[in-house]
Amino acid sequence: MSGMLMSNILFIKRTPLGTFYKRRISRIIPAFIVFLSLISLMSLIFNLSSEHFNYFYNVFFLRSYYPVEPGILNSGLPLGHLWSLNVEEHVYILLSLMTLCSFYKNRLCLILLTLGGASIFLQVLYVKFPHLTSENYSFRTEVAASFILISAGYLLVKERVEQFVPSWLPVITFLIALICYSDFPLHWSAQWLIAPILLAFTVNHLNSLSPFFKRLLCVPALRLVGLWSFSIYLWQQPLYYWGTKGGDAFYMAGPVLFILSIILGAMSFYLIENPVRKYLNNNW
C-alpha cells in the first residue's frame, strides 16, 4: 500500500520534495519518537535490556543493520516490529531521490520493477547462500523492499491494463497471497517470489472491486482503524511482547490485548500523532 501511495505522490502528482519530506516527518516522527523514547527509558530505569544504548540506530532507522548482534528481533525490548518502518523510510528516500534524475523519468516503471525483482533475487540468493549475509537478512531493506518497489512501479502502468481487470480478480490475488503466508504455503519461496506481485496487483486495483467489496472497505469502523493504523502499529507490540512473553499468556489474552492495542493506538493518534502533525503542517 505504501509503495502505491508514495509512487502516486512523487511520480504522478509530482509533489515537491520539500513538501514530501515535511509531510512524511510530521506523519511519522512525533509518535515514533515518543514511542521509542518511552520504551528506551523503561529499559534504562528497569534494566530490561541494553537496547537503550542503540537509541541512535533506532531513531535514524538503522537498527535493522547495526548492531548485527543482537538483531532487532532479539533486542530484549518490544522494538522488533520497527524493522518494517526502517524499510519504508529507506525506500521513501530512494524514491524521492529518483525524482531528481529527470533523464530516466520515462523509464521509472521499468527501473522500479527491476529493483523489486533484484530484491526478490537477493532473498533467494541469501537463502541458498546464507554465509553471504547476516542471520537477520529477511528484515533488511535490500530484501524486504520488493513489496514497496513492485507496487510503486506497477502503479505507473496500471492504467494500461485496468480495463481488462475483472472485479473479482483483486479478491482472488489477495486470497492467494494469504495462502502464501499460511501454515501450508504453496512453496517455501512463495512469500518472497509470489506474494509481492500478488499484493502489488491487489492494492493497485482496489478501485476495480465490485460495489459490495467497496462498501465493505468503507465501513466506518474499518476507516477509523485505518486512520489510527500507524499508532496502532507502534503500540501493539509492547502489549503483545510483554503480554505473551515466554508463551505464558493470561486467559483471553488475544482479544483483550487486541482491544487494548486499538485503544492505545487511538489515544496516540488523538493525543500525539494528529495534533503534532497538524501543528507542523500549519507552521513549518
Side-chain angles (χ1 to χ4, degrees):
M1 185 70 77
S2 61
M4 178 190 70
L5 294 174
M6 294 306 109
S7 183
N8 182 53
I9 291 171
L10 289 169
F11 304 132
I12 295 180
K13 293 182 178 179
R14 299 199 175 276
T15 300
L17 285 190
T19 303
F20 172 77
Y21 279 115
K22 286 178 182 179
R23 289 178 179 174
R24 289 300 90 205
I25 290 172
S26 65
R27 169 77 170 83
I28 293 170
I29 298 301
F32 167 68
I33 292 295
V34 170
F35 168 79
L36 178 62
S37 299
L38 181 59
I39 298 297
S40 299
L41 184 60
M42 290 176 64
S43 173
L44 177 63
I45 293 175
F46 299 106
N47 195 28
L48 301 176
S49 166
S50 60
E51 181 63 17
H52 49 271
F53 293 116
N54 294 322
Y55 186 84
F56 170 87
Y57 296 116
N58 277 302
V59 82
F60 286 101
F61 307 108
L62 299 172
R63 185 62 181 85
S64 51
Y65 287 90
Y66 303 105
V68 175
E69 293 294 340
I72 190 171
L73 297 185
N74 302 306
S75 67
L77 292 178
L79 300 175
H81 63 313
L82 296 181
W83 71 266
S84 60
L85 189 59
N86 290 348
V87 173
E88 282 198 343
E89 299 315 301
H90 298 163
V91 178
Y92 290 173
I93 292 173
L94 172 63
L95 295 179
S96 67
L97 292 177
M98 290 175 70
T99 65
L100 300 176
C101 303
S102 58
F103 62 89
Y104 60 69
K105 65 181 180 180
N106 295 327
R107 300 185 181 91
L108 275 173
C109 170
L110 179 60
I111 293 171
L112 289 168
L113 293 177
T114 300
L115 289 174
S119 181
I120 292 175
F121 173 76
L122 278 178
Q123 165 69 23
V124 176
L125 185 68
Y126 289 163
V127 169
K128 295 293 185 180
F129 305 100
H131 64 278
L132 295 176
T133 185
S134 66
E135 183 179 341
N136 298 315
Y137 63 85
S138 293
F139 305 100
R140 293 171 61 167
T141 301
E142 70 268 23
V143 167
S146 60
F147 294 84
I148 303 177
L149 293 169
I150 291 174
S151 182
Y154 185 73
L155 175 73
L156 303 180
V157 294
K158 180 184 72 171
E159 290 185 356
R160 302 179 190 177
V161 300
E162 197 161 27
Q163 59 180 318
F164 305 108
V165 176
S167 61
W168 50 264
L169 190 53
V171 178
I172 298 300
T173 55
F174 179 67
L175 292 176
I176 298 175
L178 289 182
I179 295 174
C180 293
Y181 291 95
S182 69
D183 292 333
F184 304 99
L186 303 175
H187 187 264
W188 67 266
S189 61
Q191 295 181 16
W192 301 100
L193 292 177
I194 303 174
I197 299 170
L198 293 175
L199 292 174
F201 181 90
T202 300
V203 299
N204 274 284
H205 287 291
L206 289 177
N207 284 334
S208 300
L209 290 173
S210 66
F212 169 78
F213 283 107
K214 287 183 178 179
R215 288 195 298 270
L216 191 63
L217 292 175
C218 290
V219 170
L222 284 179
R223 298 183 69 173
L224 267 180
V225 170
L227 190 66
W228 304 335
S229 60
F230 178 63
S231 283
I232 293 173
Y233 158 81
L234 290 175
W235 291 99
Q236 53 78 30
Q237 193 67 14
L239 295 174
Y240 168 77
Y241 186 85
W242 284 318
T244 63
K245 194 170 184 179
D248 189 22
F250 57 88
Y251 178 67
M252 293 290 287
V256 171
L257 295 177
F258 175 77
I259 293 171
L260 286 176
S261 297
I262 302 296
I263 294 173
L264 271 179
M267 291 174 59
S268 173
F269 177 81
Y270 290 116
L271 297 177
I272 303 168
E273 181 185 339
N274 198 44
V276 176
R277 179 176 58 179
K278 286 183 176 180
Y279 175 83
L280 291 176
N281 287 340
N282 291 332
N283 297 280
W284 185 9

